């Protein structure tokens, strides 16, 4: 008798435990990708407003994007620090 793993997986439905794992993972991926999409959307307007010239785009734009990403990362870390620390603490045995 040979076990077909694909058939076994296709016949079973998602359990409640699998949904409890899948949904937070999806939300984390969604939030992680949102900052990159937002930077790509607002970077041209911000570079115009701040007067960043793109005479050599291959040099300036990556630096600008990296600095903006770092600034947003620091801001989010400061905003959510207490909540993340509280969620990450475990009772010692």
């Amino acid at each position: 008798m040979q076990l077909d793993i694909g058939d076994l997986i296709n016949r079973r439905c998602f359990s409640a435990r699998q949904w409890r794992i899948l949904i937070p993972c999806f939300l984390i991926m969604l939030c992680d990708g949102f900052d990159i999409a937002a930077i790509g959307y607002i970077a041209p307007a911000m570079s115009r407003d701040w007067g960043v010239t793109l005479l050599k785009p291959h040099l300036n734009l990556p630096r600008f994007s990296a600095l903006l990403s770092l600034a947003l990362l620091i801001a989010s870390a400061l905003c959510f620090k207490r909540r993340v620390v509280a969620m990450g603490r475990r009772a010692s045995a």
Side-chain angles (χ1 to χ4, degrees):
M1 177 175 178
Q2 189 168 352
L3 181 63
D4 185 12
I5 299 296
D7 187 45
L8 180 69
I9 292 172
N10 288 335
R11 280 189 282 131
R12 295 185 183 230
C13 60
F14 260 50
S15 67
R17 181 173 187 248
Q18 289 170 319
W19 281 114
R20 284 193 311 260
I21 294 170
L22 181 69
I23 290 171
C25 289
F26 172 76
L27 293 174
I28 289 168
M29 295 277 295
L30 182 73
C31 292
D32 185 42
F34 179 75
D35 62 344
I36 300 299
I39 290 169
Y41 182 73
I42 64 171
M46 288 181 74
S47 64
R48 279 193 307 273
D49 290 345
W50 292 356
V52 176
T53 59
L54 298 177
L55 297 175
K56 297 178 182 175
H58 63 282
L59 297 177
N60 290 336
L61 193 56
R63 289 184 194 144
F64 177 72
S65 179
L67 287 174
L68 188 58
S69 296
L70 184 60
L72 290 174
L73 181 66
I74 290 170
S76 65
L78 292 173
C79 290
F80 297 111
K81 176 184 172 189
R82 286 187 181 157
R83 183 165 179 101
V84 170
V85 168
M87 287 172 54
R89 300 288 172 155
R90 301 284 186 247
S92 56

